[in-house]
Amino acid sequence: MKFSVLLTLSFLFRSSILFARETFEFNLGQKVNILSDKAFRKSSENEFQAVGNVVITHLKNSIYGEKATINFTTGETEVEGNVRYIAPEMTLYGTKLRYNFITKTIDLDNARVLSDNYVITGKKILQTSPEVIYAEEAEYTTCKDCPESWSIFGKKITITVGQYVRIQHAFIKVKGVTAMYFPYLVFPIKQKRESGLLFPIIGFSSKDGFKYQQPYFFAIDDHKDLTLTPSRFGDRGFGGELQYRQNFKEKTWIELNTMDLNDKVYRPYKIDKSLSGTQEFRQFSDFEAHFIQNNKINGHLYFNNASDMDTIRDFDFFAKEKIRGTEVGGGGFLEGRSSLFTLGVQSYYNQNMVVSDPNLFDNQYVQLLPKITLSSVPYNVVHTDFFLLKNISLGLNADYVIFKQNKPIDDPNLPIRNARRLNLAPYLDWQLGNIGPIAFSHQLKLDYQNYHLSTEDNQQNFSKQGLVYKTEARIELEKIYGLAYVEEKPIIIDSEVSEVDKDGKAKKIAPTVLNTTIGTLPNIRKNLDEKTSLIYNNSYRHWQQFKLKHYFLGEQNYKGNQKFRTQIENDDGQFDYLDALRDREHLTSLNTAQDSLPVSNTLELQWNNNLIKKVSRKFDPYKDGQYLKDNFDYSDITFFNVSQGVDLTVDSNHWEDKLTRLYINTGVNFDRLAFSVEEFYFYKSQEHKLTSAMTYNHDRFSLAGDFKYNSYNSVNTPVTKLAGYDLSVNLTDLFTIKNHVDYNLVSKLISESSYSFLYSPINNCWKIEFNYTKDLIDKKFGLLLYINYNASNFASINVR
């Protein structure tokens, strides 16, 4: 064993007292350095004592204390008085530390463990290996500066460093008050997933009673996991949830979610929440899968199922985000792409939820079984430099679809709802060329649909076809203001203040002396302070476009079943928008048709404007390739687009009678304020369809509002007037209030409203939110308690 004195020492006596600050170095398997005010050597016992401001370094670890005793034979070290042990992964505090330099074991009394993500305080902490730490009668929390905010007390706590924390006989405390008991808890303190119990979901309602859900997460491997959640759903009884996820490769995965229970309350058509006396098995399940193969083939599949249609309402917390529209069922698509065309197939089989009987399957609902689509890229036929022959290309869009009811209903008084349709839309794009700054183009498209109908009469076929012509002339103007770049400029600050005397001459005065409660600042006489500042120079691009478009509909041919032709003239008789007669398409109530123009013989004038800001980013030389491809940010400052149609088929001497719908879309976007308006005005009926939105973000609050007005087809459809807003106000750094309201101006009723109050302590280790939600059917009070159990990883305890 080697022992060397680095500074001048004296060992003339059995015990020598050194009054200077001393440093020692010796080896106990690894180099150990000791720094202290005083040092003692007991040669007979082969011990070394350091007293006063002791600092011991060993490997990457450091130990601080007031007194230390080291045995050179065993490597045992005992440190007392304000002990601090610092390691790369954590810091320990305590009153007495027993440490072995050879085995590296730690035994600490009245200890406190401080890590990046958590804090543990306990009567005793023992580390027998570098990977595992044991604590007795200890408390765990993520609140480093406020252990009393929330903590978990355990009889025994086991920490696997960088892995997870296990607590036996755990008591959850909030502000020092015991709120809950768990026999065993596991908290991950690493990035890799681990199996174990997750935070419970707790709720109480005066209608449904006490709800408790305890998830268990099972990490099968790096690509698969399973979550089991045994649950008590209040008065309804026992049940559970299951989630299975598997990732096969990038963007290729499956996920299964299901919920089951034996419901003691539910009965079809039963409204009250009293016990029914029997048990009704209820379930809701959802399956989803997605895959991509070689970036040329991709597909998606989903399916959900419910034991009854009331499940979505009774268990909206589980089912609401998993349903799509007003149907329960599923389907999917498969698509293949090449450089020349895209081929896809999709199919859906759904159960309509808008039925009176929750257990009834709506057989009149039309299924899509299946739909095959084919789309080609434009194929260039002619490409020259001559006017009228600039570029000519051909393309095709087509699909074949089967519309089928689950059980066809043969009733001559009902519309035909079972058919097979072939849709063909070949087109020719003709770029005529330019005359000066004006570009001309033309498109010719064949619109063809053929139907095979499931009817008992002889007319089982129907077809319609016609040519659609579209001619366009456009001119684009652009102007760029300024140049976007970043420059460094020196800032010169004159610390001496000048003023003009009565003779008009400048004179210097000394800097003002600032008076404070503890003294005065000295006079600093420095004439010039030079600093540098980044100056951002922005550029702006104003782009505007004028378009004159002409739509013309060639002769339309209709053949076949007259009943089906009469049926598709009405909105409710169509399968989708392709069934509409082209000369009447703009008169239907479909949203896509409302916004369109008649194509019989119509002129459209468009004026589009856009102002874009270009901001240069600060160049970072440590990011490869950023300067060339990722060096600017772009944002829309304002935009204004207007479109007006003129129907040339209208025989009238009044110009106003020829005007079709007017479309205006405009908005502005500043740093904090954004505002947009979209308006459709229909001259003939003097009806509107208006949508507006506004958002404003402040340091202390944010406000978002919207207004919708729709009087289109007001003869058959009620006028819609809806207004709503979302408000969030940070009263202080601790308190936030939120308010959301949707109001129907026609019925003068609030369709939905919510109010919440959020308390977020500065320590960021827990949050609590009180909320109240009300709609036209129900009212709910709720409480959300978020606990940051590890590295800003909040989990919620939900009471609603």
Side-chain angles (χ1 to χ4, degrees), residues 494-501 505-511 525-528:
D494 191 349
S495 59
E496 292 186 342
V497 183
S498 298
E499 65 179 19
V500 179
D501 60 15
K505 297 181 179 180
K507 66 176 182 178
K508 294 183 177 180
I509 61 174
R525 299 301 303 265
K526 184 179 180 182
N527 292 332
L528 297 178

PDB file of all heavy atoms in Angstrom, residues 494-501 505-511 525-528:
ATOM      1  N   ASP A 494     -22.134  55.671 -25.103  1.00  0.00           N
ATOM      2  CA  ASP A 494     -21.379  56.731 -24.435  1.00  0.00           C
ATOM      3  C   ASP A 494     -21.858  56.812 -22.999  1.00  0.00           C
ATOM      4  O   ASP A 494     -23.003  57.165 -22.738  1.00  0.00           O
ATOM      5  CB  ASP A 494     -21.605  58.063 -25.152  1.00  0.00           C
ATOM      6  CG  ASP A 494     -20.621  59.139 -24.648  1.00  0.00           C
ATOM      7  OD1 ASP A 494     -19.952  58.883 -23.637  1.00  0.00           O
ATOM      8  OD2 ASP A 494     -20.540  60.209 -25.283  1.00  0.00           O
ATOM      9  N   SER A 495     -20.978  56.497 -22.077  1.00  0.00           N
ATOM     10  CA  SER A 495     -21.367  56.469 -20.669  1.00  0.00           C
ATOM     11  C   SER A 495     -21.339  57.845 -20.028  1.00  0.00           C
ATOM     12  O   SER A 495     -21.725  58.008 -18.890  1.00  0.00           O
ATOM     13  CB  SER A 495     -20.455  55.520 -19.881  1.00  0.00           C
ATOM     14  OG  SER A 495     -19.115  55.946 -20.001  1.00  0.00           O
ATOM     15  N   GLU A 496     -20.808  58.858 -20.740  1.00  0.00           N
ATOM     16  CA  GLU A 496     -20.831  60.209 -20.206  1.00  0.00           C
ATOM     17  C   GLU A 496     -21.936  60.992 -20.889  1.00  0.00           C
ATOM     18  O   GLU A 496     -22.056  61.003 -22.113  1.00  0.00           O
ATOM     19  CB  GLU A 496     -19.479  60.900 -20.446  1.00  0.00           C
ATOM     20  CG  GLU A 496     -18.350  60.288 -19.645  1.00  0.00           C
ATOM     21  CD  GLU A 496     -17.077  61.087 -19.802  1.00  0.00           C
ATOM     22  OE1 GLU A 496     -16.991  61.876 -20.753  1.00  0.00           O
ATOM     23  OE2 GLU A 496     -16.182  60.931 -18.962  1.00  0.00           O
ATOM     24  N   VAL A 497     -22.768  61.630 -20.116  1.00  0.00           N
ATOM     25  CA  VAL A 497     -23.924  62.347 -20.632  1.00  0.00           C
ATOM     26  C   VAL A 497     -23.522  63.767 -20.982  1.00  0.00           C
ATOM     27  O   VAL A 497     -22.850  64.443 -20.203  1.00  0.00           O
ATOM     28  CB  VAL A 497     -25.065  62.345 -19.592  1.00  0.00           C
ATOM     29  CG1 VAL A 497     -26.303  63.036 -20.166  1.00  0.00           C
ATOM     30  CG2 VAL A 497     -25.379  60.925 -19.180  1.00  0.00           C
ATOM     31  N   SER A 498     -23.914  64.215 -22.166  1.00  0.00           N
ATOM     32  CA  SER A 498     -23.587  65.577 -22.597  1.00  0.00           C
ATOM     33  C   SER A 498     -24.824  66.447 -22.572  1.00  0.00           C
ATOM     34  O   SER A 498     -25.933  65.973 -22.799  1.00  0.00           O
ATOM     35  CB  SER A 498     -23.004  65.562 -24.018  1.00  0.00           C
ATOM     36  OG  SER A 498     -21.808  64.816 -24.044  1.00  0.00           O
ATOM     37  N   GLU A 499     -24.610  67.711 -22.301  1.00  0.00           N
ATOM     38  CA  GLU A 499     -25.698  68.682 -22.389  1.00  0.00           C
ATOM     39  C   GLU A 499     -25.120  69.999 -22.919  1.00  0.00           C
ATOM     40  O   GLU A 499     -23.900  70.204 -22.975  1.00  0.00           O
ATOM     41  CB  GLU A 499     -26.358  68.888 -21.033  1.00  0.00           C
ATOM     42  CG  GLU A 499     -25.455  69.509 -19.987  1.00  0.00           C
ATOM     43  CD  GLU A 499     -26.164  69.721 -18.674  1.00  0.00           C
ATOM     44  OE1 GLU A 499     -27.209  69.085 -18.454  1.00  0.00           O
ATOM     45  OE2 GLU A 499     -25.664  70.537 -17.878  1.00  0.00           O
ATOM     46  N   VAL A 500     -25.949  70.888 -23.338  1.00  0.00           N
ATOM     47  CA  VAL A 500     -25.526  72.169 -23.932  1.00  0.00           C
ATOM     48  C   VAL A 500     -25.643  73.267 -22.873  1.00  0.00           C
ATOM     49  O   VAL A 500     -26.678  73.405 -22.206  1.00  0.00           O
ATOM     50  CB  VAL A 500     -26.403  72.488 -25.161  1.00  0.00           C
ATOM     51  CG1 VAL A 500     -25.969  73.824 -25.764  1.00  0.00           C
ATOM     52  CG2 VAL A 500     -26.293  71.374 -26.192  1.00  0.00           C
ATOM     53  N   ASP A 501     -24.548  74.057 -22.702  1.00  0.00           N
ATOM     54  CA  ASP A 501     -24.577  75.159 -21.732  1.00  0.00           C
ATOM     55  C   ASP A 501     -25.237  76.392 -22.346  1.00  0.00           C
ATOM     56  O   ASP A 501     -25.718  76.363 -23.494  1.00  0.00           O
ATOM     57  CB  ASP A 501     -23.172  75.460 -21.219  1.00  0.00           C
ATOM     58  CG  ASP A 501     -22.234  75.858 -22.361  1.00  0.00           C
ATOM     59  OD1 ASP A 501     -22.745  76.168 -23.462  1.00  0.00           O
ATOM     60  OD2 ASP A 501     -21.019  75.860 -22.137  1.00  0.00           O
ATOM     61  N   LYS A 505     -22.332  75.496 -26.050  1.00  0.00           N
ATOM     62  CA  LYS A 505     -21.249  74.516 -26.121  1.00  0.00           C
ATOM     63  C   LYS A 505     -21.624  73.274 -25.325  1.00  0.00           C
ATOM     64  O   LYS A 505     -22.222  73.351 -24.256  1.00  0.00           O
ATOM     65  CB  LYS A 505     -19.951  75.108 -25.580  1.00  0.00           C
ATOM     66  CG  LYS A 505     -19.448  76.290 -26.394  1.00  0.00           C
ATOM     67  CD  LYS A 505     -18.140  76.818 -25.810  1.00  0.00           C
ATOM     68  CE  LYS A 505     -17.614  77.987 -26.623  1.00  0.00           C
ATOM     69  NZ  LYS A 505     -16.337  78.504 -26.058  1.00  0.00           N
ATOM     70  N   ALA A 506     -21.238  72.113 -25.872  1.00  0.00           N
ATOM     71  CA  ALA A 506     -21.534  70.848 -25.189  1.00  0.00           C
ATOM     72  C   ALA A 506     -20.571  70.663 -24.037  1.00  0.00           C
ATOM     73  O   ALA A 506     -19.379  70.953 -24.127  1.00  0.00           O
ATOM     74  CB  ALA A 506     -21.403  69.673 -26.168  1.00  0.00           C
ATOM     75  N   LYS A 507     -21.057  70.189 -22.955  1.00  0.00           N
ATOM     76  CA  LYS A 507     -20.221  69.870 -21.813  1.00  0.00           C
ATOM     77  C   LYS A 507     -20.606  68.508 -21.280  1.00  0.00           C
ATOM     78  O   LYS A 507     -21.742  68.049 -21.425  1.00  0.00           O
ATOM     79  CB  LYS A 507     -20.364  70.924 -20.718  1.00  0.00           C
ATOM     80  CG  LYS A 507     -21.758  70.977 -20.089  1.00  0.00           C
ATOM     81  CD  LYS A 507     -21.806  71.985 -18.947  1.00  0.00           C
ATOM     82  CE  LYS A 507     -23.175  71.999 -18.288  1.00  0.00           C
ATOM     83  NZ  LYS A 507     -23.224  72.934 -17.145  1.00  0.00           N
ATOM     84  N   LYS A 508     -19.626  67.833 -20.655  1.00  0.00           N
ATOM     85  CA  LYS A 508     -19.851  66.486 -20.126  1.00  0.00           C
ATOM     86  C   LYS A 508     -20.127  66.552 -18.649  1.00  0.00           C
ATOM     87  O   LYS A 508     -19.507  67.314 -17.921  1.00  0.00           O
ATOM     88  CB  LYS A 508     -18.639  65.594 -20.389  1.00  0.00           C
ATOM     89  CG  LYS A 508     -18.409  65.327 -21.874  1.00  0.00           C
ATOM     90  CD  LYS A 508     -17.254  64.375 -22.088  1.00  0.00           C
ATOM     91  CE  LYS A 508     -17.072  64.064 -23.560  1.00  0.00           C
ATOM     92  NZ  LYS A 508     -15.937  63.113 -23.777  1.00  0.00           N
ATOM     93  N   ILE A 509     -21.055  65.713 -18.245  1.00  0.00           N
ATOM     94  CA  ILE A 509     -21.360  65.604 -16.823  1.00  0.00           C
ATOM     95  C   ILE A 509     -21.110  64.180 -16.394  1.00  0.00           C
ATOM     96  O   ILE A 509     -21.183  63.237 -17.187  1.00  0.00           O
ATOM     97  CB  ILE A 509     -22.820  66.029 -16.527  1.00  0.00           C
ATOM     98  CG1 ILE A 509     -23.778  65.113 -17.287  1.00  0.00           C
ATOM     99  CG2 ILE A 509     -23.065  67.469 -16.919  1.00  0.00           C
ATOM    100  CD1 ILE A 509     -25.229  65.367 -16.947  1.00  0.00           C
ATOM    101  N   ALA A 510     -20.782  64.020 -15.137  1.00  0.00           N
ATOM    102  CA  ALA A 510     -20.469  62.692 -14.621  1.00  0.00           C
ATOM    103  C   ALA A 510     -21.732  61.841 -14.583  1.00  0.00           C
ATOM    104  O   ALA A 510     -22.838  62.336 -14.433  1.00  0.00           O
ATOM    105  CB  ALA A 510     -19.873  62.799 -13.222  1.00  0.00           C
ATOM    106  N   PRO A 511     -21.597  60.533 -14.706  1.00  0.00           N
ATOM    107  CA  PRO A 511     -22.756  59.654 -14.601  1.00  0.00           C
ATOM    108  C   PRO A 511     -23.433  59.809 -13.255  1.00  0.00           C
ATOM    109  O   PRO A 511     -22.804  60.053 -12.234  1.00  0.00           O
ATOM    110  CB  PRO A 511     -22.151  58.246 -14.762  1.00  0.00           C
ATOM    111  CG  PRO A 511     -20.867  58.469 -15.476  1.00  0.00           C
ATOM    112  CD  PRO A 511     -20.354  59.810 -15.015  1.00  0.00           C
ATOM    113  N   ARG A 525     -16.082  55.866 -15.074  1.00  0.00           N
ATOM    114  CA  ARG A 525     -15.759  56.838 -16.119  1.00  0.00           C
ATOM    115  C   ARG A 525     -15.155  56.101 -17.310  1.00  0.00           C
ATOM    116  O   ARG A 525     -13.957  56.107 -17.520  1.00  0.00           O
ATOM    117  CB  ARG A 525     -14.790  57.903 -15.587  1.00  0.00           C
ATOM    118  CG  ARG A 525     -15.326  58.700 -14.434  1.00  0.00           C
ATOM    119  CD  ARG A 525     -16.613  59.424 -14.827  1.00  0.00           C
ATOM    120  NE  ARG A 525     -16.383  60.291 -15.977  1.00  0.00           N
ATOM    121  CZ  ARG A 525     -16.102  61.581 -15.863  1.00  0.00           C
ATOM    122  NH1 ARG A 525     -16.061  62.147 -14.668  1.00  0.00           N
ATOM    123  NH2 ARG A 525     -15.882  62.321 -16.928  1.00  0.00           N
ATOM    124  N   LYS A 526     -16.035  55.429 -18.013  1.00  0.00           N
ATOM    125  CA  LYS A 526     -15.589  54.774 -19.234  1.00  0.00           C
ATOM    126  C   LYS A 526     -16.345  55.402 -20.393  1.00  0.00           C
ATOM    127  O   LYS A 526     -17.565  55.416 -20.414  1.00  0.00           O
ATOM    128  CB  LYS A 526     -15.871  53.270 -19.192  1.00  0.00           C
ATOM    129  CG  LYS A 526     -15.334  52.531 -20.407  1.00  0.00           C
ATOM    130  CD  LYS A 526     -15.612  51.053 -20.290  1.00  0.00           C
ATOM    131  CE  LYS A 526     -15.067  50.311 -21.506  1.00  0.00           C
ATOM    132  NZ  LYS A 526     -15.361  48.881 -21.447  1.00  0.00           N
ATOM    133  N   ASN A 527     -15.610  55.958 -21.301  1.00  0.00           N
ATOM    134  CA  ASN A 527     -16.257  56.742 -22.339  1.00  0.00           C
ATOM    135  C   ASN A 527     -17.074  55.870 -23.288  1.00  0.00           C
ATOM    136  O   ASN A 527     -18.196  56.198 -23.628  1.00  0.00           O
ATOM    137  CB  ASN A 527     -15.206  57.532 -23.128  1.00  0.00           C
ATOM    138  CG  ASN A 527     -14.572  58.621 -22.282  1.00  0.00           C
ATOM    139  OD1 ASN A 527     -15.203  59.115 -21.366  1.00  0.00           O
ATOM    140  ND2 ASN A 527     -13.332  58.964 -22.586  1.00  0.00           N
ATOM    141  N   LEU A 528     -16.497  54.782 -23.760  1.00  0.00           N
ATOM    142  CA  LEU A 528     -17.160  54.002 -24.793  1.00  0.00           C
ATOM    143  C   LEU A 528     -17.217  52.530 -24.397  1.00  0.00           C
ATOM    144  O   LEU A 528     -16.222  51.974 -23.943  1.00  0.00           O
ATOM    145  CB  LEU A 528     -16.418  54.135 -26.131  1.00  0.00           C
ATOM    146  CG  LEU A 528     -16.363  55.558 -26.729  1.00  0.00           C
ATOM    147  CD1 LEU A 528     -15.557  55.542 -28.012  1.00  0.00           C
ATOM    148  CD2 LEU A 528     -17.758  56.102 -26.967  1.00  0.00           C
TER     149      LEU A 528
END
